[in-house]
C-alpha cells in the first residue's frame, strides 16, 4: 500500500508484471501451477507465499491483482474476489455463523440477500429484520448471540441510507461484526472502514465493471478474516472469480472514479430537473434536500450517488408508458453501467415478493429505478423529461 490518491491506485495498484514486463495486466488463464520439485509442492501446500499459487479456486495472479487493487481503494487489508455479488454475500455471511447464532439485518434489501437469510434460517441461524434507518430498532434487536449486523448502506431499490457508524457502534458493543453491502455507494463514495464496517461487499457486476459485461463480487476485510474463515469457506465451496472476469474488472477499475463521478453528476441533474413534475408523486434521490436521510447521505458518502427513483402517480400504467417513451435510457435490470438503465421493480426484480412485502420496503407499482450512465447530462434530462410528459 502506498499513499497514492484513488485515481492513481485505480490505474496502477496491485499490478504484477511477468518476466516480459507487459504494460497491461496479463490474464493468467490457468487453473493450476507447476512446482519445480515434489518438495516445492509440499512446501507450497504447507504455506503459500504472497506470489505463490496452488489452484485458481484458491487464487490466481490476475484475480490477486484485482483483489489487491480493490483492497487498496477500500482501505482494507485484503479482499477475496468471487464469481458474483451473491457469491460474495453468501460467503461473507455463511463464513461467520453457525446454528444458534443470530443475525440482525435491514428489511429493505435486494431480494437475493433476503433469500440467503432464509436459507441460513433453515440451518438454524436466527434472523431479525429491522427498519434499517432506525438505530433504536437495531439496538432493540441485539441479543448476546448476535454475530452479524447486515445491511445495504443504500438500499436497492428504495434508496434508504443506513448509518454505518451508528449501526457499527451498536454492533461492536455486543461483539457483532458489521457486514455492509456497499454496491449503491460504490467504492468511490465509500468510507465504510473509517465508519466502522468490518466486512464490505460489492457486486462488481455493477460500477466496477461499468460496462455490463461480466458477473463478479468481492469481499473486503482484515487479512485475518479474508485469508481465514472467508477464504476457507469460499475455496472449498467454489465461489471464486474467474481470472478472465478479474481482468475485465481490472480494466473497468481504471475509469471507475471518472465514471462514477460523471454518473452521480447526471443523477443529481436529473433528480433536480424532474422533482415536482406533475406525474411524479415522489422523486427519491439521497442528494436532494427532500430525501429523509439527505444529511446522513452527504456525511457518509459525500454524494447522492448514481441512482434515482421516481414514484409515478399513475401506478404501473404510468410507469410502463414512461419506460416505453424513453429513447436513450434502456429498459433493463443492471445498474452502475456506463449506459443509463431504467427498471420497474414491481414487475421484474421484485416480482416474487407479495404486494404487502413490497409495500413494506417502499416498492409501489409506480416506482421506477433509474441508474444514470455517463451519457451527456442534458441529453438524459431531455430524454427523461420527455418520457414523463408522454405519460
Ligand atoms: C446486484 C446486487 C447484488 C447481487 O450482485 P450479483 O453480481 O448480481 O450477484 C447484491 N446486492 C445489491 C445491492 C445489488 O445491487
Amino acid at each position: 500500500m502506498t499513499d497514492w490518491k484513488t485515481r492513481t491506485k485505480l490505474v496502477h495498484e496491485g499490478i504484477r508484471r511477468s518476466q516480459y514486463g507487459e504494460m497491461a495486466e496479463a490474464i493468467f488463464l490457468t487453473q493450476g501451477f507447476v512446482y519445480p520439485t515434489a518438495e516445492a509442492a509440499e512446501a507450497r501446500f504447507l504455506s503459500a507465499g504472497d506470489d505463490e499459487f496452488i489452484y485458481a479456486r484458491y487464487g490466481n495472479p490476475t484475480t490477486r491483482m484485482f483483489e489487491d487493487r480493490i483492497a487498496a481503494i477500500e482501505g482494507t487489508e485484503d479482499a477475496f474476489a468471487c464469481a458474483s455479488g451473491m457469491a460474495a454475500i453468501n460467503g461473507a455471511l455463511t463464513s461467520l455463523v453457525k446454528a444458534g447464532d443470530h443475525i440482525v439485518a435491514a428489511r429493505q434489501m435486494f431480494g437475493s440477500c433476503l433469500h440467503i437469510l432464509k436459507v441460513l434460517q433453515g440451518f438454524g441461524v436466527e434472523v431479525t429484520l429491522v427498519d434499517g434507518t432506525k438505530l433504536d430498532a437495531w439496538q432493540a434487536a441485539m441479543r448476546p448471540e448476535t454475530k452479524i449486523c447486515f445491511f445495504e448502506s443504500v438500499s436497492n431499490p428504495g434508496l434508504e441510507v443506513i448509518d454505518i457508524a451508528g449501526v457499527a457502534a451498536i454492533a461492536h458493543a455486543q461483539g457483532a461484526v458489521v457486514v455492509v453491502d456497499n454496491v449503491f455507494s460504490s467504492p468511490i463514495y465509500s468510507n465504510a472502514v473509517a465508519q466502522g464496517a468490518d466486512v464490505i461487499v460489492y457486486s462488481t457486476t455493477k460500477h466496477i465493471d461499468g460496462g455490463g459485461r461480466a458477473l463478479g463480487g468481492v469481499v473486503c476485510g482484515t487479512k485475518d478474516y479474508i485469508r481465514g474463515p472467508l477464504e476457507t469457506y469460499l475455496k472449498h465451496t467454489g465461489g471464486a472469480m474467474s481470472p478472465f472476469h478479474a481482468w475485465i474488472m481490472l480494466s473497468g477499475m481504471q475509469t471507475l472514479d471518472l465514471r462514477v463521478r460523471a454518473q452521480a453528476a447526471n443523477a443529481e441533474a436529473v433528480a433536480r430537473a424532474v422533482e415536482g413534475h406533475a406525474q411524479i408523486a415522489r422523486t427519491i434521490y439521497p442528494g436532494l434536500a427532500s430525501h429523509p436521510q439527505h444529511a446522513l447521505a452527504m456525511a457518509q458518502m459525500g454524494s447522492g450517488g448514481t441512482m434515482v427513483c421516481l414514484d409515478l402517480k399513475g401506478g404501473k400504467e404510468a410507469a410502463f408508458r414512461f419506460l416505453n417513451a424513453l429513447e436513450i435510457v434502456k429498459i433493463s435490470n443492471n445498474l452502475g453501467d456506463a449506459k443509463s438503465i431504467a427498471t420497474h421493480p414491481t414487475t421484474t426484480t421484485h416480482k416474487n415478493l407479495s404486494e404487502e412485502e413490497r409495500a413494506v420496503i417502499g416498492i409501489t407499482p409506480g416506482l421506477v429505478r433509474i441508474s444514470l450512465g455517463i451519457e451527456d447530462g442534458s441529453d438524459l434530462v431531455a430524454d427523461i423529461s420527455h418520457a414523463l410528459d408522454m405519460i
Side-chain angles (χ1 to χ4, degrees):
M1 285 257 288
T2 62
D3 58 2
W4 287 339
K5 306 285 189 303
T6 297
R7 280 193 190 174
T8 310
K9 287 183 188 168
L10 282 166
V11 175
H12 292 288
E13 186 74 48
I15 198 153
R16 297 167 122 81
R17 290 200 164 87
S18 77
Q19 71 271 33
Y20 300 113
E22 64 282 354
M23 173 60 82
E25 294 80 352
I27 315 180
F28 290 91
L29 215 47
T30 179
Q31 49 66 30
F33 302 85
V34 176
Y35 316 103
T37 61
E39 289 77 11
E42 183 185 36
R44 193 162 311 176
F45 271 75
L46 204 60
S47 165
D50 268 353
D51 249 325
E52 296 182 339
F53 298 92
I54 292 172
Y55 193 62
R57 178 151 46 74
Y58 307 7
N60 165 286
T62 310
T63 310
R64 189 58 54 81
M65 287 192 240
F66 168 68
E67 292 169 342
D68 287 350
R69 188 170 295 176
I70 186 83
I73 298 304
E74 198 58 43
T76 55
E77 289 171 7
D78 212 338
F80 193 95
C82 301
S84 67
M86 292 323 303
I89 291 168
N90 182 45
L93 296 177
T94 308
S95 65
L96 286 169
V97 288
K98 58 181 186 331
D101 289 341
H102 178 235
I103 299 175
V104 186
R107 66 186 183 190
Q108 256 217 29
M109 233 172 341
F110 185 57
S112 301
C113 293
L114 294 171
H115 183 81
I116 290 175
L117 294 174
K118 276 187 198 148
V119 171
L120 289 172
Q121 281 175 290
F123 289 115
V125 175
E126 295 195 40
V127 175
T128 306
L129 296 179
V130 297
D131 177 345
T133 62
K134 299 209 161 64
L135 290 177
D136 51 359
W138 288 95
Q139 183 65 63
M142 296 300 290
R143 300 183 197 162
E145 60 276 17
T146 306
K147 289 291 186 315
I148 299 175
C149 289
F150 171 51
F151 56 96
E152 293 169 1
S153 51
V154 180
S155 70
N156 180 5
L159 307 182
E160 281 187 354
V161 183
I162 294 181
D163 182 349
I164 297 174
V167 177
I170 293 165
H172 292 162
Q174 296 264 7
V177 170
V178 177
V179 178
V180 178
D181 177 339
N182 220 19
V183 168
F184 277 39
S185 311
S186 91
I188 300 307
Y189 295 128
S190 170
N191 195 16
V193 172
Q195 287 151 357
D198 301 296
V199 178
I200 299 137
V201 184
Y202 289 102
S203 161
T204 70
T205 316
K206 313 292 168 54
H207 303 85
I208 293 173
D209 174 327
R213 297 165 294 186
L215 278 173
V218 69
V219 185
C220 304
T222 62
K223 200 166 231 19
D224 279 353
Y225 166 67
I226 296 291
R227 296 299 152 194
L230 184 85
E231 184 189 282
T232 304
Y233 178 79
L234 281 168
K235 81 181 186 187
H236 293 301
T237 55
M241 180 182 275
S242 89
F244 185 66
H245 283 196
W247 176 79
I248 291 173
M249 299 306 164
L250 281 162
S251 93
M253 278 184 94
Q254 299 193 96
T255 56
L256 182 65
D257 189 85
L258 302 171
R259 281 185 288 107
V260 168
R261 288 182 193 282
Q263 288 174 266
N266 283 344
E268 179 153 356
V270 166
R272 289 193 191 289
V274 303
E275 191 177 35
H277 189 284
Q279 296 292 340
I280 301 177
R282 203 173 145 226
T283 301
I284 308 168
Y285 181 63
L288 290 178
S290 57
H291 189 282
Q293 293 98 37
H294 172 64
L296 172 64
M298 298 321 283
Q300 187 163 291
M301 297 195 286
S303 165
T306 64
M307 308 289 297
V308 175
C309 288
L310 306 179
D311 192 2
L312 301 176
K313 287 180 184 163
K316 176 184 165 185
E317 205 180 316
F320 276 29
R321 281 205 202 128
F322 170 75
L323 291 170
N324 292 336
L326 292 166
E327 285 178 18
I328 300 170
V329 181
K330 299 297 172 241
I331 304 170
S332 188
N333 42 265
N334 191 25
L335 61 94
D337 197 307
K339 299 180 177 75
S340 292
I341 290 172
T343 310
H344 185 239
T346 300
T347 53
T348 61
T349 52
H350 291 72
K351 82 170 179 18
N352 290 335
L353 300 182
S354 70
E355 198 151 335
E356 283 163 13
E357 286 173 312
R358 280 196 293 267
V360 168
I361 62 174
I363 302 176
T364 58
L367 191 79
V368 176
R369 186 191 79 184
I370 307 175
S371 166
L372 281 306
I374 61 170
E375 301 96 334
D376 182 273
S378 62
D379 283 344
L380 293 173
V381 168
D383 192 34
I384 291 166
S385 303
H386 174 256
L388 285 169
D389 292 340
M390 294 297 285
I391 294 173

